[in-house]
Short mmCIF file of all heavy atoms in Angstrom, two decimals:
data_model
loop_
_atom_site.label_atom_id
_atom_site.label_comp_id
_atom_site.label_asym_id
_atom_site.label_seq_id
_atom_site.Cartn_x
_atom_site.Cartn_y
_atom_site.Cartn_z
N LEU A 190 -9.15 -16.54 -0.86
CA LEU A 190 -9.83 -16.35 -2.14
C LEU A 190 -10.48 -15.00 -2.26
O LEU A 190 -10.38 -14.37 -3.45
CB LEU A 190 -10.95 -17.43 -2.29
CG LEU A 190 -10.32 -18.89 -2.57
CD1 LEU A 190 -11.50 -19.85 -2.65
CD2 LEU A 190 -9.30 -18.99 -3.54
N PRO A 191 -11.11 -14.27 -1.29
CA PRO A 191 -11.55 -12.90 -1.52
C PRO A 191 -10.44 -12.01 -1.81
O PRO A 191 -10.54 -11.05 -2.64
CB PRO A 191 -12.23 -12.60 -0.11
CG PRO A 191 -12.62 -13.90 0.41
CD PRO A 191 -11.48 -14.83 0.09
N ASN A 192 -9.26 -12.12 -1.31
CA ASN A 192 -8.15 -11.29 -1.60
C ASN A 192 -7.61 -11.50 -3.02
O ASN A 192 -7.20 -10.61 -3.74
CB ASN A 192 -7.09 -11.42 -0.54
CG ASN A 192 -7.20 -10.51 0.71
OD1 ASN A 192 -7.32 -9.24 0.55
ND2 ASN A 192 -7.53 -11.12 1.84
N ARG A 193 -7.49 -12.74 -3.42
CA ARG A 193 -7.13 -13.07 -4.74
C ARG A 193 -8.21 -12.61 -5.69
O ARG A 193 -7.83 -12.21 -6.90
CB ARG A 193 -6.86 -14.65 -4.84
CG ARG A 193 -5.53 -15.02 -4.32
CD ARG A 193 -5.18 -16.40 -4.36
NE ARG A 193 -3.86 -16.75 -3.81
CZ ARG A 193 -2.72 -16.62 -4.38
NH1 ARG A 193 -2.72 -16.36 -5.81
NH2 ARG A 193 -1.57 -16.85 -3.81
N ALA A 194 -9.43 -12.58 -5.37
CA ALA A 194 -10.53 -11.98 -6.17
C ALA A 194 -10.22 -10.49 -6.46
O ALA A 194 -10.34 -10.05 -7.50
CB ALA A 194 -11.95 -12.20 -5.63
N PHE A 195 -9.85 -9.80 -5.35
CA PHE A 195 -9.56 -8.33 -5.41
C PHE A 195 -8.39 -8.09 -6.35
O PHE A 195 -8.47 -7.12 -7.17
CB PHE A 195 -9.40 -7.74 -4.16
CG PHE A 195 -10.47 -7.12 -3.52
CD1 PHE A 195 -11.39 -7.76 -2.57
CD2 PHE A 195 -10.93 -5.78 -3.80
CE1 PHE A 195 -12.53 -7.30 -2.04
CE2 PHE A 195 -11.99 -5.28 -3.17
CZ PHE A 195 -12.91 -5.93 -2.25
N VAL A 196 -7.40 -8.87 -6.44
CA VAL A 196 -6.26 -8.51 -7.27
C VAL A 196 -6.65 -8.72 -8.78
O VAL A 196 -5.92 -8.27 -9.64
CB VAL A 196 -5.01 -9.42 -6.94
CG1 VAL A 196 -5.13 -10.87 -7.39
CG2 VAL A 196 -3.75 -8.65 -7.35
N HIS A 197 -7.68 -9.57 -9.06
CA HIS A 197 -8.03 -9.77 -10.37
C HIS A 197 -9.27 -9.00 -10.90
O HIS A 197 -9.49 -8.70 -12.01
CB HIS A 197 -8.40 -11.35 -10.63
CG HIS A 197 -7.25 -12.25 -10.38
ND1 HIS A 197 -6.05 -12.11 -10.86
CD2 HIS A 197 -7.23 -13.38 -9.51
CE1 HIS A 197 -5.23 -13.09 -10.39
NE2 HIS A 197 -5.93 -13.84 -9.57
N MET A 198 -10.18 -8.77 -9.93
CA MET A 198 -11.54 -8.08 -10.21
C MET A 198 -11.75 -6.77 -9.49
O MET A 198 -12.86 -6.13 -9.86
CB MET A 198 -12.55 -9.13 -9.94
CG MET A 198 -12.41 -10.49 -10.56
SD MET A 198 -13.92 -11.55 -10.28
CE MET A 198 -14.15 -11.42 -8.50
N ALA A 199 -11.01 -6.43 -8.54
CA ALA A 199 -11.19 -5.22 -7.68
C ALA A 199 -12.52 -5.35 -6.87
O ALA A 199 -13.14 -4.36 -6.52
CB ALA A 199 -11.20 -3.92 -8.53
N THR A 200 -12.82 -6.65 -6.65
CA THR A 200 -14.10 -6.95 -5.80
C THR A 200 -14.03 -8.38 -5.34
O THR A 200 -13.26 -9.20 -5.93
CB THR A 200 -15.35 -6.67 -6.60
OG1 THR A 200 -16.47 -7.05 -5.78
CG2 THR A 200 -15.43 -7.55 -7.85
N SER A 201 -14.81 -8.67 -4.24
CA SER A 201 -14.91 -10.05 -3.87
C SER A 201 -16.35 -10.45 -3.95
O SER A 201 -16.73 -11.54 -3.42
CB SER A 201 -14.35 -10.31 -2.52
OG SER A 201 -15.21 -9.67 -1.52
#
Side-chain angles (χ1 to χ4, degrees):
L190 294 183
N192 275 294
R193 286 183 175 267
F195 264 94
V196 81
H197 301 307
M198 309 185 309
T200 179
S201 70

